[in-house]
Short mmCIF file of all heavy atoms in Angstrom, two decimals:
data_model
loop_
_atom_site.label_atom_id
_atom_site.label_comp_id
_atom_site.label_asym_id
_atom_site.label_seq_id
_atom_site.Cartn_x
_atom_site.Cartn_y
_atom_site.Cartn_z
N PHE A 20 47.09 117.22 -60.47
CA PHE A 20 46.46 118.56 -60.55
C PHE A 20 44.96 118.36 -60.84
O PHE A 20 44.13 118.86 -60.09
CB PHE A 20 47.04 119.39 -61.57
CG PHE A 20 46.41 120.71 -61.81
CD1 PHE A 20 46.45 121.69 -60.80
CD2 PHE A 20 45.61 120.99 -62.99
CE1 PHE A 20 45.83 122.90 -60.99
CE2 PHE A 20 45.03 122.21 -63.13
CZ PHE A 20 45.10 123.16 -62.12
N VAL A 27 42.36 123.00 -58.36
CA VAL A 27 41.88 123.40 -59.66
C VAL A 27 40.99 124.64 -59.59
O VAL A 27 41.14 125.61 -60.39
CB VAL A 27 41.14 122.26 -60.36
CG1 VAL A 27 40.44 122.72 -61.70
CG2 VAL A 27 42.10 121.09 -60.65
N VAL A 30 43.08 127.85 -58.67
CA VAL A 30 43.81 128.42 -59.82
C VAL A 30 42.90 129.07 -60.77
O VAL A 30 43.25 130.15 -61.36
CB VAL A 30 44.59 127.21 -60.55
CG1 VAL A 30 45.20 127.69 -61.86
CG2 VAL A 30 45.70 126.71 -59.61
N ALA A 31 41.71 128.47 -61.08
CA ALA A 31 40.78 129.15 -61.92
C ALA A 31 40.29 130.49 -61.40
O ALA A 31 40.02 131.43 -62.11
CB ALA A 31 39.56 128.21 -62.13
N ARG A 32 40.18 130.53 -60.13
CA ARG A 32 39.68 131.78 -59.40
C ARG A 32 40.76 132.91 -59.29
O ARG A 32 40.45 134.04 -59.62
CB ARG A 32 39.20 131.42 -58.10
CG ARG A 32 38.56 132.58 -57.23
CD ARG A 32 38.21 132.06 -55.82
NE ARG A 32 37.37 130.82 -55.88
CZ ARG A 32 37.73 129.64 -55.43
NH1 ARG A 32 38.88 129.51 -54.78
NH2 ARG A 32 36.87 128.62 -55.54
N TRP A 33 41.97 132.50 -59.00
CA TRP A 33 43.00 133.50 -58.64
C TRP A 33 44.21 133.39 -59.63
O TRP A 33 45.04 134.37 -59.57
CB TRP A 33 43.51 133.38 -57.20
CG TRP A 33 42.45 133.72 -56.24
CD1 TRP A 33 41.65 134.87 -56.18
CD2 TRP A 33 41.95 132.83 -55.07
NE1 TRP A 33 40.81 134.76 -55.06
CE2 TRP A 33 41.01 133.59 -54.39
CE3 TRP A 33 42.37 131.64 -54.64
CZ2 TRP A 33 40.39 133.02 -53.27
CZ3 TRP A 33 41.74 131.06 -53.51
CH2 TRP A 33 40.73 131.79 -52.82
N GLY A 34 44.35 132.42 -60.39
CA GLY A 34 45.50 132.26 -61.24
C GLY A 34 45.28 132.99 -62.58
O GLY A 34 44.33 133.82 -62.71
N ARG A 35 46.14 132.66 -63.49
CA ARG A 35 46.01 133.31 -64.79
C ARG A 35 45.49 132.35 -65.88
O ARG A 35 45.55 131.14 -65.72
CB ARG A 35 47.48 133.75 -65.26
CG ARG A 35 48.05 134.78 -64.35
CD ARG A 35 49.39 135.23 -64.85
NE ARG A 35 50.42 134.29 -64.89
CZ ARG A 35 51.74 134.52 -65.08
NH1 ARG A 35 52.08 135.79 -65.33
NH2 ARG A 35 52.61 133.55 -65.00
N ALA A 36 44.86 132.94 -66.88
CA ALA A 36 44.40 132.21 -68.00
C ALA A 36 45.53 131.46 -68.65
O ALA A 36 46.67 132.01 -68.82
CB ALA A 36 43.71 133.06 -68.99
N GLY A 37 45.33 130.21 -68.96
CA GLY A 37 46.40 129.41 -69.63
C GLY A 37 47.25 128.62 -68.62
O GLY A 37 48.20 127.94 -69.05
N ALA A 38 46.92 128.72 -67.29
CA ALA A 38 47.76 128.00 -66.31
C ALA A 38 47.49 126.53 -66.31
O ALA A 38 48.37 125.70 -65.88
CB ALA A 38 47.52 128.62 -64.96
N VAL A 39 46.27 126.09 -66.72
CA VAL A 39 45.88 124.75 -66.54
C VAL A 39 46.76 123.74 -67.35
O VAL A 39 47.16 122.70 -66.76
CB VAL A 39 44.35 124.56 -66.86
CG1 VAL A 39 44.05 123.05 -66.89
CG2 VAL A 39 43.53 125.23 -65.78
N PRO A 40 46.99 123.98 -68.57
CA PRO A 40 47.83 122.92 -69.31
C PRO A 40 49.18 122.67 -68.80
O PRO A 40 49.51 121.51 -68.53
CB PRO A 40 47.86 123.53 -70.75
CG PRO A 40 46.63 124.33 -70.90
CD PRO A 40 46.46 124.98 -69.54
N PRO A 41 49.99 123.79 -68.43
CA PRO A 41 51.24 123.35 -67.76
C PRO A 41 51.14 122.75 -66.42
O PRO A 41 51.95 121.85 -66.01
CB PRO A 41 51.99 124.74 -67.74
CG PRO A 41 50.95 125.76 -67.88
CD PRO A 41 49.87 125.20 -68.76
N LEU A 42 50.14 123.10 -65.68
CA LEU A 42 50.00 122.53 -64.30
C LEU A 42 49.51 121.01 -64.51
O LEU A 42 49.89 120.24 -63.69
CB LEU A 42 48.96 123.33 -63.49
CG LEU A 42 49.48 124.64 -62.99
CD1 LEU A 42 48.35 125.44 -62.33
CD2 LEU A 42 50.65 124.41 -62.00
N SER A 43 48.74 120.73 -65.58
CA SER A 43 48.37 119.37 -65.76
C SER A 43 49.56 118.55 -66.21
O SER A 43 49.71 117.37 -65.79
CB SER A 43 47.31 119.31 -66.85
OG SER A 43 46.06 119.64 -66.31
N GLU A 44 50.50 119.15 -66.91
CA GLU A 44 51.72 118.47 -67.28
C GLU A 44 52.50 118.12 -65.99
O GLU A 44 53.06 117.06 -65.81
CB GLU A 44 52.65 119.36 -68.19
CG GLU A 44 52.04 119.45 -69.58
CD GLU A 44 52.97 120.28 -70.43
OE1 GLU A 44 54.13 120.58 -70.06
OE2 GLU A 44 52.57 120.73 -71.47
N VAL A 45 52.61 119.13 -65.05
CA VAL A 45 53.24 118.84 -63.78
C VAL A 45 52.51 117.77 -63.04
O VAL A 45 53.10 116.81 -62.41
CB VAL A 45 53.34 120.14 -62.94
CG1 VAL A 45 53.87 119.80 -61.52
CG2 VAL A 45 54.22 121.08 -63.62
N ALA A 97 59.95 123.59 -64.42
CA ALA A 97 58.53 123.96 -64.44
C ALA A 97 58.32 125.36 -63.90
O ALA A 97 57.16 125.76 -63.84
CB ALA A 97 57.73 122.90 -63.71
N ASP A 106 57.99 136.09 -64.82
CA ASP A 106 56.85 136.59 -65.58
C ASP A 106 55.78 137.13 -64.61
O ASP A 106 54.78 136.41 -64.40
CB ASP A 106 56.29 135.38 -66.45
CG ASP A 106 55.19 135.72 -67.34
OD1 ASP A 106 54.98 136.97 -67.64
OD2 ASP A 106 54.43 134.85 -67.84
N ALA A 109 49.22 139.65 -62.36
CA ALA A 109 48.10 139.05 -61.55
C ALA A 109 48.07 137.63 -61.71
O ALA A 109 47.91 137.10 -62.83
CB ALA A 109 46.78 139.75 -61.97
N GLY A 110 48.06 136.85 -60.66
CA GLY A 110 47.98 135.43 -60.71
C GLY A 110 49.26 134.69 -60.81
O GLY A 110 49.29 133.47 -60.73
N ALA A 111 50.38 135.43 -61.00
CA ALA A 111 51.69 134.76 -61.20
C ALA A 111 52.08 133.94 -60.02
O ALA A 111 52.56 132.82 -60.15
CB ALA A 111 52.71 135.74 -61.58
N VAL A 113 50.14 132.63 -57.81
CA VAL A 113 49.16 131.51 -57.65
C VAL A 113 49.59 130.37 -58.52
O VAL A 113 49.66 129.21 -58.06
CB VAL A 113 47.71 131.96 -57.99
CG1 VAL A 113 46.76 130.75 -57.87
CG2 VAL A 113 47.28 133.05 -57.08
N ASP A 114 49.95 130.65 -59.78
CA ASP A 114 50.42 129.59 -60.67
C ASP A 114 51.67 128.98 -60.14
O ASP A 114 51.84 127.77 -60.14
CB ASP A 114 50.65 130.14 -62.08
CG ASP A 114 49.35 130.66 -62.68
OD1 ASP A 114 48.26 130.46 -62.15
OD2 ASP A 114 49.50 131.42 -63.69
N ARG A 115 52.61 129.82 -59.70
CA ARG A 115 53.87 129.24 -59.15
C ARG A 115 53.60 128.44 -57.87
O ARG A 115 54.17 127.39 -57.71
CB ARG A 115 54.78 130.42 -58.82
CG ARG A 115 56.14 130.03 -58.23
CD ARG A 115 56.13 130.23 -56.71
NE ARG A 115 57.20 129.49 -56.08
CZ ARG A 115 57.35 129.33 -54.78
NH1 ARG A 115 56.44 129.86 -53.98
NH2 ARG A 115 58.29 128.59 -54.30
N ALA A 117 50.94 126.71 -57.09
CA ALA A 117 50.29 125.53 -57.48
C ALA A 117 51.37 124.48 -57.97
O ALA A 117 51.27 123.33 -57.63
CB ALA A 117 49.21 125.73 -58.64
N ARG A 161 65.41 128.68 -65.95
CA ARG A 161 64.75 127.36 -65.69
C ARG A 161 65.71 126.18 -66.04
O ARG A 161 65.28 125.09 -66.07
CB ARG A 161 63.50 127.22 -66.57
CG ARG A 161 62.34 128.18 -66.06
CD ARG A 161 61.01 127.75 -66.58
NE ARG A 161 60.00 128.70 -66.18
CZ ARG A 161 58.67 128.44 -66.29
NH1 ARG A 161 58.30 127.31 -66.82
NH2 ARG A 161 57.78 129.27 -65.97
#
Side-chain angles (χ1 to χ4, degrees):
F20 176 70
V27 170
V30 169
R32 183 182 308 116
W33 293 307
R35 296 187 292 192
V39 171
L42 287 174
S43 284
E44 289 181 16
V45 173
D106 185 18
V113 178
D114 298 348
R115 177 261 164 189
R161 292 199 182 191

